[in-house]
Amino acid sequence: MNKKISFKEELKRSLIVHALTPCFILCIICVLGFILIAFVNIYRNNNIYALNSKEKLEFVLNRYIENTNYVANEIDIELFKNNKQYKVEIIEGVYNFINQKDIKAQFYIFDKKLDMLFSTERSDNKKDLIKYQIAGSKSNFWEEGSGIIYIYGGNGTENSPTSSYLIVKPIVRDNEFVGLCTYELELKNLDAIFNNTNSTVLLVNKFHRVIFSNSKRFVDDRNKIIKNFRDRRGLIFNDGELIYISRNRVDYADTWIYVITDCSTYLNISIIMLLLIIAVAIIMAAAISSSAGKFSAKKTAIIYQLIDALKQVEDGKLDINLNIESDDEFKSIGHSFNMMLGSIRHLIERHDKMALENNMAIVQMMESQFNPHFLFNTLESIRYLVKFNPKVADKTVVNLSKLLRYSIQNTVDTVRFKEEFDFVKRYIEIMKVRFGERLEFNDNIPDEVKVVSVPKMIIQPIVENAVKYGFGEDVEVLNVEISAYTESGKVYITVRDDGVGIERELLKELVVNLKEKYNLSDHIGLYNVHKRIELLYGTEYGVEINSEMNKGTEVVLVLPQIFRQGE
């Protein structure tokens, strides 16, 4: 069984929680924002760099492929071997092309027996290696037009040859293979493409062998990318580290560019920030605990005092007096409550001296308005709003105070429509505290109606009936609308709702009851308003009611167009 917690303690805890929650949420948002921005930047920088590097490498390769094809299509092997001047022209064109490039390559020409006719490479060992690679891969490019990029070399040891791209184009004349030309692009020369980043960049072939890297951090002892990173993209965890990987395939070759960024630093900073937030929340909770306890004790004492007084009124004790020592709206409520009880006692004393019909209208009208149940329910709502939404609680207290003050001002029987309408809007706002989004209110009041004189407190009972009887099982949202207009010296005020409506038999009973001298039903508010209007202005004025099941109810107040003296 759950241990019962006092309202005072519950309010204290709620104040602490609600004081800390905005700060805590803000800090969490900052941390999450930091994490999001950090990883978005990592994602963006990684992918942009990988894509740019891919495009740069493809651009370099494409230029060499184009020149290889050009030379292969233009060169005459026999003339190249036998004509020195022709050979010089071909070689000069090759050197001019190479010298224009930021990333240099070596050029080779072979005859049909794959003997090397010319090479820009000076190393004999390198020449032999290239010839060996060409001879061993002859079947890959034998057919005309099948020039390819071939990768060879590097296994990570000091004595192994440097990995390279071989761009090979067979030379074919009259459907006969007469030779081939080749560019060798050493991958160590690609530093110009991959040197502007803080991330690890790996150039990997289809066997996962690393043929170029700016760091050996993610390369195993077999010179391959570590197993956990192969064919991976995005965020991954590796040995307690958070890693982000971008991967793009390079056209013209079975090669992939990996850009790898270590995100562990950002993760550690985020964890530290979260721990700091928790520590600050604990310190703040301790700091405000004392003040929250004092506040909850003071406010709950006033609310319990009001509730106790209302319960006594419900039991018929009208000689009580509230003495609330507070500098806020609660003091105004206590004062209004005492004045209301004084007015009730005064009305009771005058009860026997009033005419029977007038007495019934006034007393029943008051019973249908701010009886203790209404005040009790409203204060109960304020009690919980103090915990969950102090701003709405404050506004509700102000509205209740003004309603009570308005209801006990008995110096006048009629007021301007604007004053009566403001009273109704405050009543609606209190009802919205109870019903929330289920209750919607609209109005359409022209300026000429706002200055018309109307009996005091005649619209609120109609609105109360609309809210009380309009809701039903199938009504999720109740719309209440007040509209008014003038015509032929009369004022027509309409209160309309789209609720469950009134059954036909009950509607007939209500219409008949409005014509009776005395109220013969339990429906007090509508009858009181009708009789008050008749007593003040005559039988041609009063209340009209129309309703249809499941479509709503419409109540029309018909009044003379009278302006208050001096207006």
Side-chain angles (χ1 to χ4, degrees), residues 341-353:
L341 287 184
S343 298
I344 293 174
R345 289 193 296 268
H346 178 69
L347 288 171
I348 293 175
E349 291 173 359
R350 294 176 55 195
H351 182 273
D352 293 335
K353 301 178 183 180

Side-chain angles (χ1 to χ4, degrees), residues 36-52:
L36 179 62
I37 292 173
F39 284 101
V40 165
N41 284 334
I42 292 172
Y43 169 83
R44 177 175 174 273
N45 293 338
N46 254 42
N47 285 281
I48 290 177
Y49 181 81
L51 184 61
N52 288 342

Side-chain angles (χ1 to χ4, degrees), residues 501-513:
I502 303 174
E503 296 180 355
R504 180 175 299 180
E505 293 300 323
L506 178 58
L507 179 63
K508 186 182 298 183
E509 178 184 342
L510 291 174
V511 173
V512 172
N513 186 56

